[in-house]
């Protein structure tokens, strides 16, 4: 493609380090689409003849069909998908193929292709995340009343409803969707026609190519256009945050599936056995989603470090933008699908959850709140009184609501029998009706809103 100036071919290792076709072949659809939009514009603007534009368009369609049927052949001599496509086009239509690259460079071409690819990747992620949210909402609806221990420091804190816990993840995934949608909206301007870095003297129509490719319009500055990879970094940062959320839910499944907890039983389809220990049922999918989050964060860091300190405009370092995005996307798509399957199929052992909530003095705050509400005790004092009750329960080995009334009165005479109504885990969750609280009535409202938002 630049034989005019060179008398020798590249060294073998040069060829290998230079080639991106082993990975950027994945951009073939976008490359064909971008080139067809460019060729149509060149024809409409009179920059190439109508006949040549038509021949180029038909040839590109054929190359696309070939790629679709047979895949892209990796030939390192052709360096990247852009050169491979152009070379095949030349074989198919002859010298007219040489007119396609008028008023264009691989620098604006690759930026365009990659933006188009990231845009579709975001659409796929958004659809996957909506599916995960739907799974969470359906399970939350089923368990709006199921009581489990809520934790802080992984110590039993206060009873919550399982539905409320699952809806917490619905919220996180909702923010992820908004981050991805935001990344897509910001990215949706076309770099095509920025040429190598400075724009072009040909009378091109950037609005036309932008519209043909579904962009909102052309980018404003040619130097920025060919050196901007913010859209890929935005994708990776949104992916990292999302993967962190998935890893937190994974970790909960791993803990909940352990024998001492026994809060969940993973289905056969989403767990594995051991080759030596017949009793084992391992939460491998959850562990791998948790593990993948680290790799996704690594991809985000890889591209961030590649871009750091690059002067304008294009530098070949930027060719390294694609592997981390492809890797992160594959890992994320798989993680979302696996998490959706686990959420849909997991069995929640609600009797174990309830017993754990009852075992951990989780309603101690309810005793303190009762003293404040009914006996007008200042909260700090109520906290102290309750602490003595917990100590008594601990030393006698009983639950809070099993302490006899005389023993409670001995701690503080303002306590009377009505206190027992506040000490059950059901009473505790039912009382927490504040906006965003865990009460079943609030969970049902949140579920109803979510179902409407997801059109379920
Ligand atoms: N394969 C290159 C990439 O992925 C295409 C752009 C090459 N441009 C250049 N001037 N060498 O970034």
């Amino acid at each position: 493609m630049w034989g005019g100036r060179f008398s020798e071919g590249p060294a073998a290792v040069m060829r290998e380090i230079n080639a991106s076709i082993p990975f950027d072949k994945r951009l073939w659809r976008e490359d064909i689409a971008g080139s067809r939009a460019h060729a149509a514009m060149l024809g409409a603007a009179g920059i190439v003849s109508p006949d040549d534009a038509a021949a180029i368009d038909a040839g590109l369609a054929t190359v696309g069909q070939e790629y679709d049927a047979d895949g892209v052949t990796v030939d390192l001599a052709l360096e990247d998908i852009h050169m491979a496509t152009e070379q095949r086009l030349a074989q198919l239509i002859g010298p007219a193929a040489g007119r396609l690259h008028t008023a264009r460079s691989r620098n604006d071409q690759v930026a365009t292709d990659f933006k188009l690819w990231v845009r579709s990747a975001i659409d796929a992620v958004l659809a996957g995340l909506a599916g995960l949210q739907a799974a969470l909402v359906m399970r939350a609806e089923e368990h709006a009343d199921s009581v489990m221990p809520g934790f802080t420091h992984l110590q039993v804190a206060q009873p919550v409803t399982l539905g409320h816990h699952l809806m917490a993840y619905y919220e996180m995934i909702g923010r992820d969707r908004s981050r991805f949608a935001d990344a897509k909206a910001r990215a949706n301007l076309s770099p095509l026609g920025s040429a190598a870095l400075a724009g072009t003297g040909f009378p091109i129509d950037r609005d036309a190519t932008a519209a043909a490719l579904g962009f909102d319009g052309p980018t404003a500055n040619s130097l920025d256009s060919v050196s901007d990879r913010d859209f890929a970094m935005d994708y990776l940062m949104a992916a990292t945050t999302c993967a962190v959320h998935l890893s937190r839910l994974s970790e909960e499944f791993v803990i909940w599936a352990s024998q001492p907890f026994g809060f969940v039983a993973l289905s056969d389809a989403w767990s594995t056995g051991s080759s030596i220990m017949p009793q084992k049922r391992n939460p491998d999918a959850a562990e791998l989603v948790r593990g993948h989050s680290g790799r996704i964060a690594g991809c985000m860091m890889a591209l961030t470090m590649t871009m750091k300190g690059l002067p304008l405009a294009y530098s070949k370092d930027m060719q390294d933008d694609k592997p981390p995005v492809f890797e992160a996307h594959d890992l994320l798509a798989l993680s979302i699908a696996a998490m959706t399957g686990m959420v849909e199929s997991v069995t929640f052992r609600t009797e174990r959850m309830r017993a754990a909530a009852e075992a951990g003095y989780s309603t101690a705050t309810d005793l303190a709140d009762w003293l404040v509400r009914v006996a007008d005790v200042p909260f700090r004092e109520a906290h102290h009184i309750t602490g003595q009750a917990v100590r008594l329960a601990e030393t006698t080995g009983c639950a809070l609501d099993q302490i006899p009334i005389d023993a409670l009165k001995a701690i503080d005479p303002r306590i009377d029998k009505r206190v027992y109504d506040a000490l059950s885990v059901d009473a505790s969750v039912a009382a927490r009706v504040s906006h965003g609280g865990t009460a079943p009535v609030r969970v049902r409202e949140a579920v109803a809103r979510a179902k409407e938002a997801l059109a379920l």
Side-chain angles (χ1 to χ4, degrees), residues 20 24 79-80 82 106-107 110 229 314 316 318-319 322:
S20 54
D24 70 17
E79 197 178 321
D80 57 27
H82 324 295
R106 280 185 298 155
N107 296 348
V110 71
R229 292 296 182 272
Y314 179 87
K316 200 64 176 255
M318 292 168 66
Q319 178 165 283
K322 287 166 283 292

